[in-house]
Amino acid sequence: MSPSVTHRTARRRIAGTLSVVLAVGVVVTGLVQAAAPSTTPRRLDPRITAVMRKPDYRRAQWGLFQQNPASGKVTQSRYADQFFIPGSTAKLFSVSGTWRTLGSDHRFVTPVHAVGRRLGSTLKGNLDLVAQGDLTLGGRTRKDGTVAFTTIDHTYADLIPGATLTPENPLAGIDQLARQVRASGIRRVDGNVVIDARLFRPDPVLDPTPTPLIINDNLIDLLTSPGAGAGAPAGLDWRPKVAPYHVTSAVRTVAAGKPTDINVTSSPDGTRIRLTGTIAAGSAPVLRVSGIKDPNAFGRTALIEALQRAGVQVRAKPVGPNPAGQLPRSYQGAPAVARYTSPPYAQYAKLILKVSHNLGANLGMCLMATTAGSSNCEEGFPVLAAFLDRAHVDRRAVQLADGRGGNPADRTTPRALAQILTYWQHTPEAQRFRTSLPVLGVDGTLADSCRHCPSRGKVFAKTGTVAGGDALNDRLAVGAETAAGYLETRKGHFEVFFDGVNGASTPSADVNGVLTIGNDVAAIAAYLQQQASGGGHRS
């Protein structure tokens, strides 16, 4: 048995023995024992100590680290070399590795090959779409080539209130491919349409699990709007509309101010979706999502339907399993009759970091594996390890079992996070990377924090949350709430920082309690920035 297979099997066995709770896109695990804090070169701003001493953090552990990346001078250090549960700040490692391995300007080119003989406008054979691991396949791409995102992404719609949709058509890339097929002169396909998803094998240890073909994040969006008044049926819209997916709703409108509670169920294959519950009159539309269980079958049907819209007839039935057994060994002699080209990877990195896109972060592990010639996503970890070594990150101070920071084994020290952030500051892409992070009070996961404080727009940081239900005490256990990034101390000058807490808990089971802890972490980042720039309290 090869070492990579041994590692993979052991990892699956460990994952299978753990009982974890998913919430806010991450997982809850045990807390880390911390040693005594190191001496801090600068006294803490009293506003920071006031936050840390709140009763909610009585049993929690705070960590801090702040450093000038140019001089190496450390200005704050608290448990800097102890392991913390990172939450999604772990994406700083995986996204950095994918970015530097692929290149910031790397574009995913997804081809459709004509496999068979052309007789005039008829293809006697199959059309094969060869999936390339394109995260959005045009579904978020604006006309200017940038990738759209919202403050709370639709991938979090079932977990966090207020998730919204981008306006772009989730089938945009598929439609473009279909139009190109027609433009190539093909009007009829006397054969099948096949999705070639051999780029890598989906690894269920990576949760959510990346697939080579991804359309709309492998989700069906379900948007419920209140009816005209109490008792009226709620309105329903959903996307992308692809056979045989069918959505029905029994959601009723209740009086304004009453609870909105919408539940989603689906058939075992995911194609029959039903919404039940209530929505308050006069409230904003409520978004929910349902998973696409077979992305390849979904993509095949979507492409056949798009071809029909474009004026290309396909003999094969549009609904059915993806006939992967018909794929050729190679495409030599099978011309590409369509190609969809993605935005540069740096745009995808920005999406992943701004909204904490879990699927995109895990996808990076699989993409790094493909650069090593492997279809096994596990082989992305040695590629990431080699990058971290080149970036002068103490790899022993980082534990990762996925790309998103959601595995129970994931740990990092504050200093290691500062090291990856320092690495970027010494590259020509420092600004590009820094502005890909959420900006305090401006966008991403920090958009609603500190909107009117002096540090607005001066803190660039990846945030992380690990939370789940504490059934014993009817509250939420917050394994971690973290932030790591850059503080603009004066124009054009930046310091790297980490601040975060492990082992907090909320007063009740209301998810807004987690958001309150997130605001405290954001507030500490703001106070660090103000103190470093001369605008804070000094001792």
Side-chain angles (χ1 to χ4, degrees):
M1 183 178 289
S2 69
S4 63
V5 173
T6 303
H7 170 65
R8 179 186 178 91
T9 303
R11 188 159 166 259
R12 288 183 180 280
R13 184 170 60 249
I14 292 169
T17 64
L18 295 170
S19 176
V20 297
V21 182
L22 297 179
V24 201
V26 283
V27 297
V28 170
T29 70
L31 299 179
V32 184
Q33 285 293 108
S38 56
T39 304
T40 57
R42 176 190 291 159
R43 294 285 300 275
L44 277 179
D45 186 311
R47 295 173 296 179
I48 295 177
T49 56
V51 171
M52 291 179 173
R53 290 171 181 167
K54 285 184 176 181
D56 290 345
Y57 305 124
R58 184 168 57 253
R59 297 177 180 86
Q61 177 64 62
W62 282 92
L64 282 179
F65 191 76
Q66 185 178 347
Q67 185 178 34
N68 185 317
S71 67
K73 180 181 178 181
V74 174
T75 53
Q76 295 292 349
S77 182
R78 178 183 176 89
Y79 301 107
D81 296 302
Q82 301 301 309
F83 271 139
F84 278 76
I85 302 169
S88 286
T89 57
K91 291 182 174 74
L92 290 169
F93 299 117
S94 61
V95 173
S96 294
T98 310
W99 185 322
R100 297 302 277 180
T101 301
L102 297 180
S104 59
D105 293 323
H106 173 81
R107 295 175 186 265
F108 300 87
V109 180
T110 302
V112 175
H113 289 272
V115 182
R117 295 181 299 118
R118 290 277 294 270
L119 296 177
S121 62
T122 298
L123 171 65
K124 295 288 187 178
N126 295 345
L127 285 176
D128 291 0
L129 184 156
V130 185
Q132 299 294 309
D134 187 330
L135 179 57
T136 72
L137 202 63
R140 294 177 185 252
T141 305
R142 302 185 182 101
K143 290 182 179 180
D144 64 1
T146 59
V147 173
F149 58 89
T150 61
T151 297
I152 303 177
D153 192 64
H154 78 139
T155 55
Y156 286 97
D158 292 346
L159 299 169
I160 304 176
T164 55
L165 296 171
T166 61
E168 287 72 27
N169 175 12
L171 297 176
I174 294 292
D175 284 340
Q176 188 177 128
L177 287 169
R179 290 192 296 269
Q180 288 183 33
V181 170
R182 189 180 193 283
S184 76
I186 295 175
R187 299 290 187 273
R188 180 178 173 83
V189 178
D190 278 349
N192 219 321
V193 171
V194 191
I195 303 300
D196 186 340
R198 295 178 290 187
L199 181 68
F200 59 80
R201 299 189 300 274
D203 183 351
V205 174
L206 299 175
D207 181 21
T209 303
T211 50
L213 180 69
I214 298 171
I215 298 174
N216 201 45
D217 300 312
N218 292 339
L219 296 172
I220 302 294
D221 296 317
L222 311 162
L223 194 63
T224 299
S225 302
L236 170 67
D237 194 12
W238 60 282
R239 70 176 203 182
K241 292 182 172 69
V242 173
Y245 282 75
H246 182 68
V247 183
T248 58
S249 174
V251 177
R252 307 294 295 181
T253 308
V254 295
K258 287 197 171 183
T260 291
D261 185 14
I262 298 174
N263 300 300
V264 179
T265 57
S266 67
S267 59
D269 66 356
T271 64
R272 292 293 181 267
I273 302 168
R274 183 165 177 80
L275 288 79
T276 57
T278 59
I279 185 170
S283 66
V286 174
L287 182 64
R288 295 286 186 267
V289 292
S290 185
I292 294 170
K293 301 294 179 64
D294 188 341
N296 296 330
F298 181 89
R300 172 185 176 272
T301 299
L303 181 54
I304 292 175
E305 292 179 344
L307 287 165
Q308 291 171 341
R309 290 193 296 270
V312 179
Q313 292 184 342
V314 178
R315 182 179 180 183
K317 293 181 179 180
V319 175
N322 181 52
Q326 298 180 23
L327 292 171
R329 286 192 173 185
S330 77
Y331 290 100
Q332 184 175 358
V337 293
R339 290 184 179 88
Y340 179 78
T341 302
S342 76
Y345 179 76
Q347 279 292 313
Y348 285 167
K350 185 175 184 178
L351 167 68
I352 296 166
L353 295 169
K354 290 286 189 185
V355 307
S356 207
H357 196 284
N358 292 322
L359 180 64
N362 279 344
L363 176 63
M365 303 309 306
C366 302
L367 295 174
M368 282 187 281
T370 66
T371 67
S374 176
S375 61
N376 180 354
C377 294
E378 293 287 324
E379 297 303 324
F381 287 95
V383 177
L384 176 58
F387 160 73
L388 293 178
D389 289 344
R390 294 193 303 272
H392 303 292
V393 174
D394 180 3
R395 184 152 48 90
R396 298 297 180 182
V398 183
Q399 295 178 177
L400 287 181
D402 64 5
R404 73 179 181 100
N407 191 284
D410 293 347
R411 296 290 189 276
T412 185
T413 66
R415 194 184 302 274
L417 284 165
Q419 287 169 346
I420 190 64
L421 293 163
T422 297
Y423 162 79
W424 281 104
Q425 278 299 100
H426 297 306
T427 70
E429 294 190 296
Q431 180 180 5
R432 195 175 192 182
F433 180 80
R434 185 174 61 251
T435 55
S436 295
L437 302 176
V439 182
L440 186 67
V442 177
D443 64 17
T445 54
L446 288 172
D448 294 327
S449 299
C450 208
R451 280 186 176 272
H452 304 290
C453 77
S455 297
R456 182 181 186 273
K458 299 176 183 177
V459 176
F460 305 78
K462 182 71 198 76
T463 60
T465 303
V466 174
D470 174 7
L472 181 66
N473 297 293
D474 191 26
R475 62 185 180 181
L476 296 176
V478 184
E481 190 68 49
T482 56
Y486 303 95
L487 310 171
E488 187 170 22
T489 57
R490 63 184 191 275
K491 190 171 180 60
H493 292 263
F494 300 90
E495 294 189 358
V496 298
F497 85 97
F498 166 89
D499 86 271
V501 60
N502 276 191
S505 48
T506 62
S508 70
D510 187 347
V511 71
N512 286 306
V514 178
L515 303 181
T516 298
I517 295 173
N519 284 334
D520 281 347
V521 170
I524 288 177
Y527 298 148
L528 289 172
Q529 186 278 329
Q530 291 164 31
Q531 187 175 22
S533 61
H537 289 66
R538 291 184 179 274
S539 299

